[in-house]
Amino acid sequence: MLAPAAMEVSVDGTVSTTVVSMPAVHNPRARKLRSAVWQDFTKERRADGNCVAICNHCKKQLTATSRSGTTHLRNHLAICTTTSTRRAGKRRKLIVRRILHNKTSTGQPGGGHASGDDNDNDSTHFDQELSRQDLARMIVQHGYRFSIVDDLGFQKFVKNLQPQFSMVSYDIVRADSMAIFESEKLKLQDVLLNTPCRVSISVDMWRSSTQMDYLCLTCHYIDHSGDEWKLRKKILNFVHVEEHFTASQIANLILEKLQRWGIERKLAAVVLDNCTAGDIVATELLRVMQPRRLLLLNGNLFHVRSCAHILNLTVEESLEQTSDIINRVREMIQNVKFSQERLQKFLDTAKLLQIDQKLLVLDSPNNWPSTYLMFDSACYYHDVLVRLAEQEAHYAAFLTAKEWADVKALTEILDALNNTMEKFPVENPTANLYFNDMCEIQVLLNTWRNSPSPVVAQVAGRMLKKFEGYWDLTRPVMAFASILDPRYKMKSIEYFFQLIYGNDQFTAKATIEAIKQTFTSLCNEYEHSADSLKNPAVLFYAGNSSSCMSSVYNNGNDSKTFSRITLSDARRGLDQYIQESSSGQSLKSDLDLYLEEAVYRQKEGNQDNFDILGWWKSFAAKYPVLSQMARDILAIPVSIIPLDSEARVLNEYLSTMDPSTVEGLVCAQDWLRADTEVANSDGHADDKVPRGDELIVAPN
């Protein structure tokens, strides 16, 4: 029998609504009204013999037959026009929500803490343990203090919300939070162990306000457990390290953590941009892992740098040679901003020249983007500052004409580099996004190196030398990611390398061919590796055919290993082989077929919105080997934005915690972020919800 609909049913005017009192005759079979809802309703019988429930507050009549239940009565209380009843209805909504949660958790329609409509008193619905776990999860997820449970205001709020909840102590909520950490850790470990693709890691050094150092180990991988492929980033460990730790000790610590997670055999690459002695740590990791033959191309793709880090190092080290002109601009702006009389002259002159007001920026030392903004604002107010210099000819703080020319030239260089940097802040970017931008930077530096301006040529020459030194380490990985972008394939590499090498076309062709050969070698590794054999993939695809050579080993998501091949599978493979070889078709590898086909062009929309992971998921059956490579290469975090040293500081609250608690809170908050994203995926996203770093980043 279908359950009665959970809706308010009013008594219409087509039936007599005359209500008579219930007969006083005792009926031993009559059911006792045990539901708490009858505290707000009176059950009476109508003249036609049917029963109605009359609201004690608004006197509205609702059905009250034996089959109608009490759900519609509770729903009415939630919307009753009486103020006191509406307040009580809200309390009942909380109870109903908890009942639904418990039913969902148990997976049983009759499970949870409710025993039926006629037994829904508050004491049977409330669960102290479940509420206690909710409290701990809230504290972890939003970075609240454990001591919030001792705040009188919070205690009063909870007491009014649910009088039956017994507030827990500081120690208990801390223990519950650590239990959440351990539980979520097991879940994540299970995910990583069952992920068929490789993972990449990034390592960052953090510091507390008490000068304790921490190592943050983050994992990057493609999650394809759902309907879509998603790039995931999870903090694995946040461990305390002694200040005197050597590079070898840091490398051993990283290896130990990877082994505990069970992912040391599936490592693709590592980014050590913010790690102490990163180059030495990478060398130590390679020394240990290369003999095990676990790395791609024997470790040639193992250590990479992020694009943003490459640009930061290139610009910062090159601008050290231009400190004189930077100091001159800084001194000029300081004398304008911090002299009340001169600042008023500046504002009056800007108004006289009809120049719209814009912030006059003073940079932060060792922060080149702020230096660019300072140069840019100075150039914007060039006419105003020149007029001030004429009025105060005796004052040496203002720039000369030659210095102004140098500042404008440097501003053009920094503007191009800053525009590239501004493209990087993308949440969870794939490795293919910025190859073209990095090549464009190299082309521009080549051009500026031959500039007629001495300062431009000098600065560009230094930048180019630094850039090429850092870029050579990461270029192969980003070139491979560009090849795996169906919009470009080999086209970007061919186009930009011919521009980069200019007249030396022999070197350009040799470099292009070397990248293609290395990519082919990597593809061969995947084809012949044990991972490829276990992968639900097809090793070869027949040209001009929609069939796959090894499709006999694949059946949707239920892949067969070679040890489970049946005789019928082998016979089908033979039949297909005879048909294809007899027709004169040549078998082509994934790579050959992929490169021969035209590049993918989006019909409309912004090219930057291209979903490369969605494309590879759709074409995984056609390019099985390349799709597996795409999952591994595109997850390498070369496009991330590394936090600067000032941002990598724990807040005051966490700085007072012991290291084990710090790790538990930092990791658990990161792991619970997915719950927040799911909760906000229905269009009710809250911009104030922590996005991952709010807990551990010190406030400004």
Side-chain angles (χ1 to χ4, degrees):
M1 183 188 303
L2 294 175
M7 57 183 292
E8 181 176 305
V9 184
S10 300
V11 180
D12 57 38
T14 59
V15 181
S16 172
T17 59
T18 303
V19 178
V20 297
S21 301
M22 295 289 290
V25 180
H26 173 66
N27 182 1
R29 300 183 61 185
R31 296 179 63 187
K32 183 180 179 181
L33 302 178
R34 293 175 294 179
S35 175
V37 76
W38 292 111
Q39 297 176 8
D40 298 287
F41 286 90
T42 300
K43 186 174 183 180
E44 297 184 354
R45 188 183 301 278
R46 293 190 311 194
D48 59 1
N50 293 324
C51 294
V52 295
I54 302 177
C55 177
N56 295 339
H57 307 283
C58 67
K59 305 306 179 182
K60 188 169 186 175
Q61 299 181 24
L62 302 145
T63 59
T65 63
S66 59
R67 296 184 179 183
S68 61
T70 59
T71 300
H72 65 296
L73 302 182
R74 287 198 300 273
N75 292 342
H76 170 76
L77 289 176
I79 61 174
C80 186
T81 55
T82 306
T83 302
S84 60
T85 305
R86 190 183 301 115
R87 187 180 299 114
K90 291 182 179 179
R91 174 66 57 81
R92 286 173 172 78
K93 281 186 177 181
L94 293 176
I95 297 173
V96 173
R97 190 180 301 119
R98 179 56 56 86
I99 295 172
L100 295 176
H101 173 79
N102 292 333
K103 288 181 179 181
T104 304
S105 300
T106 58
Q108 300 175 0
H113 302 276
S115 57
D117 283 335
D118 293 331
N119 294 292
D120 56 349
N121 57 76
D122 290 359
S123 61
T124 60
H125 296 150
F126 173 69
D127 188 306
Q128 170 72 20
E129 287 301 313
L130 182 60
S131 298
R132 175 177 145 185
Q133 295 304 315
D134 288 344
L135 173 62
R137 183 173 288 266
M138 177 195 73
I139 288 176
V140 171
Q141 196 165 15
H142 298 283
Y144 299 142
R145 300 169 291 107
F146 291 148
S147 58
I148 192 175
V149 298
D150 297 325
D151 293 345
L152 294 179
F154 181 72
Q155 291 178 353
K156 183 177 181 180
F157 168 74
V158 173
K159 198 68 176 177
N160 290 333
L161 190 66
Q162 177 49 265
Q164 298 183 66
F165 179 71
S166 178
M167 184 59 68
V168 296
S169 66
Y170 178 101
D171 292 333
I172 289 178
V173 77
R174 179 191 178 281
D176 289 344
S177 300
M178 294 302 101
I180 291 175
F181 162 68
E182 295 294 341
S183 174
E184 295 297 323
K185 183 176 181 179
L186 292 176
K187 294 179 184 178
L188 179 58
Q189 188 169 32
D190 184 63
V191 169
L192 295 178
L193 289 175
N194 290 286
T195 297
C197 56
R198 288 180 176 266
V199 301
S200 295
I201 61 170
S202 58
V203 181
D204 300 280
M205 301 303 296
W206 286 71
R207 174 163 289 190
S208 69
S209 61
T210 57
Q211 303 305 306
M212 291 181 63
D213 292 326
Y214 288 86
L215 183 146
C216 180
L217 185 65
T218 307
C219 179
H220 308 257
Y221 64 98
I222 302 295
D223 176 16
H224 63 313
S225 58
D227 294 335
E228 299 179 353
W229 288 6
K230 293 290 185 181
L231 183 58
R232 303 294 185 192
K233 181 180 71 171
K234 301 289 183 181
I235 295 178
L236 300 183
N237 297 96
F238 198 87
V239 294
H240 169 58
V241 294
E242 298 294 340
E243 187 176 3
H244 60 269
F245 259 37
T246 64
S248 178
Q249 289 175 310
I250 293 177
N252 290 333
L253 177 62
I254 294 172
L255 285 172
E256 175 194 343
K257 297 304 179 182
L258 294 178
Q259 290 169 354
R260 289 190 178 183
W261 284 96
I263 58 176
E264 77 281 2
R265 300 182 62 86
K266 56 197 318 184
L267 200 57
V270 59
V271 175
L272 299 162
D273 292 345
N274 290 329
C275 179
T276 304
D279 291 339
I280 303 177
V281 172
T283 301
E284 285 294 314
L285 291 173
L286 275 173
R287 183 183 62 82
V288 175
M289 301 189 71
Q290 268 184 330
R292 303 178 186 178
R293 299 185 179 277
L294 302 175
L295 302 176
L296 298 175
L297 294 178
N298 198 30
N300 289 336
L301 304 180
F302 180 66
H303 182 206
V304 297
R305 298 184 189 275
S306 67
C307 298
H309 191 63
I310 291 174
L311 287 183
N312 280 332
L313 291 176
T314 298
V315 179
E316 288 172 1
E317 295 177 7
S318 301
L319 287 182
E320 291 177 359
Q321 306 299 321
T322 60
S323 58
D324 291 343
I325 187 64
I326 294 175
N327 289 333
R328 289 280 291 145
V329 175
R330 187 180 295 137
E331 180 185 2
M332 177 181 65
I333 293 181
Q334 283 176 336
N335 282 279
V336 170
K337 290 178 70 74
F338 301 127
S339 170
Q340 189 65 36
E341 180 183 355
R342 192 170 289 112
L343 178 60
Q344 189 59 50
K345 286 183 179 180
F346 174 85
L347 295 175
D348 293 341
T349 304
K351 186 176 182 180
L352 180 64
L353 297 177
Q354 297 182 344
I355 296 178
D356 294 336
Q357 188 172 351
K358 177 180 176 181
L359 182 64
L360 187 62
V361 178
L362 184 64
D363 73 335
S364 300
N366 303 320
N367 186 320
W368 74 264
S370 69
T371 301
Y372 157 70
L373 294 176
M374 180 178 71
F375 276 30
D376 184 61
S377 65
C379 291
Y380 179 81
Y381 285 115
H382 169 266
D383 294 344
V384 178
L385 294 170
V386 168
R387 183 72 64 90
L388 284 181
E390 293 173 353
Q391 296 174 5
E392 302 184 25
H394 62 283
Y395 197 62
F398 292 100
L399 302 183
T400 65
K402 180 182 181 304
E403 288 173 332
W404 272 116
D406 291 343
V407 168
K408 291 182 177 180
L410 288 174
T411 302
E412 291 181 7
I413 295 178
L414 295 178
D415 180 65
L417 297 173
N418 187 71
N419 288 337
T420 301
M421 284 290 292
E422 289 181 343
K423 294 181 180 180
F424 293 151
V426 176
E427 186 176 358
N428 288 351
T430 49
N432 64 298
L433 290 182
Y434 304 119
F435 176 78
N436 293 347
D437 296 284
M438 297 299 282
C439 288
E440 288 171 2
I441 290 296
Q442 191 169 4
V443 172
L444 286 175
L445 291 176
N446 264 327
T447 304
W448 291 331
R449 185 178 55 174
N450 301 317
S451 171
S453 170
V455 66
V456 171
Q458 186 180 13
V459 171
R462 285 196 300 266
M463 285 186 176
L464 182 62
K465 184 177 180 180
K466 297 288 185 182
F467 179 86
E468 290 178 340
Y470 296 126
W471 175 232
D472 286 346
L473 183 67
T474 304
R475 185 173 62 182
V477 167
M478 296 198 68
F480 293 173
S482 181
I483 295 174
L484 290 169
D485 190 329
R487 298 171 299 171
Y488 304 114
K489 300 185 179 181
M490 288 293 298
K491 302 301 182 183
S492 286
I493 295 173
E494 294 168 352
Y495 173 76
F496 282 112
F497 282 17
Q498 290 176 13
L499 289 179
I500 290 170
Y501 291 101
N503 296 328
D504 190 0
Q505 289 301 300
F506 177 80
T507 302
K509 291 180 180 179
T511 305
I512 295 170
E513 185 61 26
I515 289 178
K516 185 176 180 180
Q517 288 298 325
T518 307
F519 187 80
T520 303
S521 299
L522 180 62
C523 190
N524 292 336
E525 275 192 15
Y526 273 84
E527 288 181 355
H528 296 99
S529 67
D531 291 339
S532 294
L533 297 179
K534 295 177 182 178
N535 186 44
V538 181
L539 297 185
F540 290 99
Y541 184 84
N544 302 321
S545 172
S546 61
S547 62
C548 297
M549 251 316 259
S550 299
S551 60
V552 296
Y553 305 126
N554 183 44
N555 182 18
N557 292 327
D558 299 323
S559 60
K560 302 179 181 179
T561 62
F562 285 111
S563 61
R564 295 170 54 192
I565 297 173
T566 64
L567 290 176
S568 58
D569 289 333
R571 177 57 58 87
R572 285 196 297 272
L574 174 61
D575 293 341
Q576 183 176 349
Y577 172 74
I578 293 174
Q579 177 183 358
E580 292 174 341
S581 60
S582 300
S583 62
Q585 291 178 325
S586 60
L587 295 180
K588 298 178 180 179
S589 69
D590 275 13
L591 180 58
D592 292 335
L593 182 62
Y594 173 74
L595 294 179
E596 285 180 2
E597 293 186 347
V599 296
Y600 172 77
R601 305 304 298 173
Q602 288 179 279
K603 294 182 179 179
E604 57 184 19
N606 190 349
Q607 287 285 324
D608 294 336
N609 295 330
F610 174 63
D611 181 9
I612 188 171
L613 297 181
W615 191 93
W616 277 109
K617 179 181 183 296
S618 301
F619 286 86
K622 185 175 183 179
Y623 307 117
V625 176
L626 288 180
S627 66
Q628 187 180 3
M629 291 174 61
R631 288 204 303 265
D632 297 346
I633 299 297
L634 295 176
I636 298 177
V638 294
S639 302
I640 60 174
I641 296 293
L643 296 173
D644 58 35
S645 58
E646 294 182 358
R648 288 179 281 115
V649 178
L650 291 176
N651 60 33
E652 292 293 334
Y653 171 59
L654 282 180
S655 295
T656 62
M657 298 285 186
D658 62 274
S660 61
T661 304
V662 171
E663 180 176 34
L665 290 177
V666 170
C667 293
Q669 188 196 50
D670 181 73
W671 301 338
L672 293 178
R673 191 192 317 174
D675 294 345
T676 304
E677 292 172 353
V678 171
N680 293 323
S681 62
D682 58 353
H684 302 285
D686 185 0
D687 291 337
K688 297 182 180 179
V689 172
R691 297 296 190 222
D693 292 330
E694 288 85 341
L695 174 63
I696 54 180
V697 176
N700 294 329

